[in-house]
Amino acid sequence: MISPTDTIIELRGVTKSFGTNRVADNLDLLVQRREIVALLGQTGAGKSTVLNMVMGNIPADSGTVRVAGHDPYNEFIKLRGKMAVSFQTDRLLPWRTAVENAELGLLILGKPTAEAREIATTWLARVNLAGAENRYVHELSGGMRQRVSLARALCVDPELVLLDESFSQLDHVTSMALRADFAKLVREFGKTCLFVTHRIDDALEMADRILVLKPGAGVGLELVMTPEMRADSATVHELHDRIAGTMEGSEAGQPDLARA
Amino acid sequence: MQKVMEQSPQSATGTRPPPSSLGKVGLSRLNDIGPTLVVVAILALAMQLGSYVLPPFVMPAPLTILAATWEILSTQMSHIGVTALRLFVAVVFAMTVGVLLGVVMGVIPRVRPYLQALVIIDTGIPALSWMLLAIFWFSEPEIRIFFILSVILIPFYALNIYDAIRALPRDWVDMIESFRPHRWQVLRYLVAPHIVPAIITTTKAVIGYAIRMAIFAELVASAIGIGSRMSLAQSMFRIDLVLGWTLILVIFNLGLQALINASEKLLLKWRPETKVR
């Protein structure tokens, strides 16, 4: 049982509709501190809606959404510095260099310029971009841009990192390298991460826990991943098939807890 | 930690390509100004031929025009300075007010319809009306010219900046808002840099128009400045001086355009140039 103090994200009985389309129905979701949780689901399953509610961009129709004890929509400013987001596209500002993009969140949070620059440079080195600090966005490849985007999110030392399909637009090799680096950094620095993806591989590689959302029906499958499970290719294949089956609708009903 | 597998689009080693050689740069510049020189030569030839068959008060020879230009430059530089100063003050003021209006229209929805209506009404009033009104309203020539140029130029900046803010990508707004910024931080880190290209483009577009309006305003509302000198030359039937002033204005305009282009290269160095085949 998760104690309230360990919980950083808490959704209870959350319902959300867009017009007649109900994307979340009585959804319960808890994320513990220092946990990496993957939200998987087909298009329209509601994973981006959940992420947007956690980010505070949209309110829930009913139910409770809490992030670090605050309502992210109505207490938007109280979560300043507590969470950071990396998006599907890098969203770097073209008039800023790599290091200037990375330090943006720090400057917004009021860090002195010199200190912000030092922290951003350190984080760029951590995501393997040492030497590329002064390049403009158009001088960086897609993978490098996404690394800057991740550095920008991690720079602000947030309690919670949200990823919205952050690796989905990269080629397979770059995506693999980047997600491995990212998961290592998140664990090393004790961050909590909720990430949305439609790629099962991303979830199996990175997550401590995988939640598969079914359109309008909440969590269709919940899996807990361990390093041992990740290391066993037969287990990974089996889990991949189960997740794929749930996403395609062959496995309905109550959440299936496949805890190790 | 895994090594970076991706490469930058510029090179595999991370180094930038070597700059173009001096020879190539020189050739490129010659390619840029070559056609202009050809056009100038054709015009000079046509004027020379015209001067053989037309009376001197209709078409003076190019050398006569050059002599008149030298006369202007050696005796009437103060008028060029006055016009340049009037233009500079009015453009800077119009840019400041226009950008502020554009930003307010872009970020404060409640005020937007009123300001938009005001700016659009302003664009519908002919320049000549403003000139005549300025003569009625103000006795001081400097205020007249400043007023005329300002009311004509402000809407260009206001509307273009408003359009630039409307075109701000939603993705960037969401990204910066994910850090929970204060409103002024959104303006500082996102809106202000985003509208710089629009300010430069607007300045490039209006500078020629602003020069024409300044000359016209001086012609009707002032006793000093290039416009008033051109009016005087016309009243003395000195077409060589009129054409001399015209030549100076063309060079003045080209000089200002070059200055704006240099500022653009400096301020927008982050923007890659795309060449369409």
Side-chain angles (χ1 to χ4, degrees), chain B residues 181-226:
Chain B
H182 301 296
R183 193 164 193 157
W184 66 266
Q185 289 179 314
V186 178
L187 287 173
R188 177 181 171 185
Y189 294 116
L190 186 60
V191 176
H194 175 70
I195 61 175
V196 170
I199 296 172
I200 293 172
T201 307
T202 307
T203 306
K204 278 169 92 170
V206 302
I207 200 72
Y209 183 61
I211 292 173
R212 287 194 291 277
M213 285 301 108
I215 302 304
F216 199 26
E218 285 176 343
L219 195 130
V220 297
S222 176
I224 51 170
I226 296 176

Side-chain angles (χ1 to χ4, degrees), chain A residues 55 76 80 108 128 135 141, chain B residues 2 4 7-8 14 180 185:
Chain A
M55 283 161 66
F76 191 81
R80 192 174 153 90
I108 288 172
N128 287 327
R135 290 197 203 165
S141 68
Chain B
Q2 296 180 36
V4 176
Q7 300 292 348
S8 83
R180 267 81 176 156
Q185 289 179 314

